[in-house]
């Protein structure tokens, strides 16, 4: 089946396969680059994308982004604990310590990134679930969901690795705005269904 799809790029199956691939990887991956992958890598990826398209509930692709985004929000928190050290982490009053300047600037950025991830998760989850409940376009929903996840990954990397520079701040702002607009688009998709 994979050889047939690769040979018949204009077929309906190929369009579904391309939609699935874009739904899984968001807009960060374009289908053209998969053609340059070695056959040993490309074929299993295409087969996995095809098997994902055979699932009964097409919204599972979008819903699968929920635990990823949720766990992603906690990565900066665990990094902060690793940096501060479990012994030095003030377990008795962790909220108070975050507001005071007892942590290094990096640990403070970890705490802020963690809180931002949790703040953004609730509307994102609501949008994904609304799209599922209202039976919106599942491929578009998956694209928006995974786009949000990839933007959050980039946001976390820039937040933690960018330091307190102005360039890092603007980059974070752009990434956050793109994620926020994606969540709004997800709600609009749900409401149009």
């Amino acid at each position: 089946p994979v050889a047939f799809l690769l040979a018949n790029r204009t077929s309906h199956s190929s369009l579904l396969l391309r939609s699935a691939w874009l739904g899984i990887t968001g807009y960060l991956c374009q289908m053209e680059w998969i053609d340059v992958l070695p056959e040993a890598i490309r074929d299993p990826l295409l087969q996995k994308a095809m098997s994902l398209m055979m699932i009964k509930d097409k919204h599972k692709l979008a819903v699968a982004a929920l635990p990823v985004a949720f766990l992603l929000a906690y990565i900066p928190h665990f990094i902060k604990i690793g940096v501060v050290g479990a012994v030095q982490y003030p377990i008795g009053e962790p909220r108070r310590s975050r507001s005071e300047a007892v942590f290094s600037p990096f640990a403070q950025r970890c705490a802020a990134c963690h809180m931002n991830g949790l703040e953004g998760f609730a509307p994102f989850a609501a949008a994904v679930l609304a799209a599922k409940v209202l039976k919106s376009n599942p491929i578009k929903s998956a694209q928006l969901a995974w786009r949000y996840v990839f933007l959050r990954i980039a946001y976390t990397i820039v937040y933690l690795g960018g330091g307190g520079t102005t360039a890092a701040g603007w980059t974070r702002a752009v990434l956050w705005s793109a994620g926020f607009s994606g969540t709004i688009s997800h709600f609009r998709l749900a409401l149009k269904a």
Side-chain angles (χ1 to χ4, degrees):
V2 173
F4 173 78
L5 289 175
L6 291 174
N8 259 324
R9 294 203 182 264
T10 59
S11 71
H12 180 65
S13 299
S14 180
L15 292 175
L16 285 176
L17 181 61
R18 286 176 185 260
S19 296
W21 180 258
L22 290 174
I24 293 167
T25 59
Y27 67 82
L28 298 178
C29 297
Q30 298 297 319
M31 194 65 188
E32 288 75 32
W33 71 264
I34 200 167
D35 294 331
V36 298
L37 290 175
E39 192 173 309
I41 295 171
R42 180 186 63 223
D43 288 353
L45 283 175
L46 291 173
Q47 286 176 345
K48 184 64 176 174
M50 283 177 37
S51 70
L52 288 173
M53 289 308 299
M54 300 303 168
I55 57 178
K56 290 181 182 177
D57 182 4
K58 303 295 188 218
H59 283 278
K60 281 187 180 180
L61 292 172
V63 173
L66 292 176
V68 176
F70 183 71
L71 293 173
L72 182 60
Y74 277 92
I75 289 174
H77 178 67
F78 295 127
I79 292 173
K80 178 185 76 174
I81 291 174
V83 168
V84 172
V87 175
Q88 295 177 328
Y89 188 77
I91 196 71
E93 298 183 75
R95 303 274 186 243
R96 184 179 64 83
S97 65
R98 186 181 64 236
S99 62
E100 297 176 1
V102 295
F103 291 154
S104 70
F106 177 72
Q108 289 175 358
R109 283 195 312 278
C110 287
C113 185
H114 166 62
M115 293 307 294
N116 185 274
L118 292 177
E119 292 162 0
F121 178 75
F124 165 69
V128 170
L129 294 175
K132 177 179 172 43
V133 168
L134 296 173
K135 297 180 173 49
S136 67
N137 180 333
I139 299 299
K140 184 66 174 166
S141 181
Q143 288 173 336
L144 289 167
W146 286 100
R147 173 184 171 206
Y148 177 87
V149 168
F150 286 120
L151 287 167
R152 287 305 304 186
I153 290 170
Y155 179 89
T156 301
I157 290 169
V158 171
Y159 210 138
L160 301 185
T165 65
T166 303
W170 279 109
T171 304
R172 275 194 340 257
V174 167
L175 291 168
W176 181 90
S177 297
F180 182 77
S181 71
T183 298
I184 298 299
S185 295
H186 217 141
F187 275 118
R188 286 180 44 220
L189 176 71
L191 294 174
K192 288 193 320 190

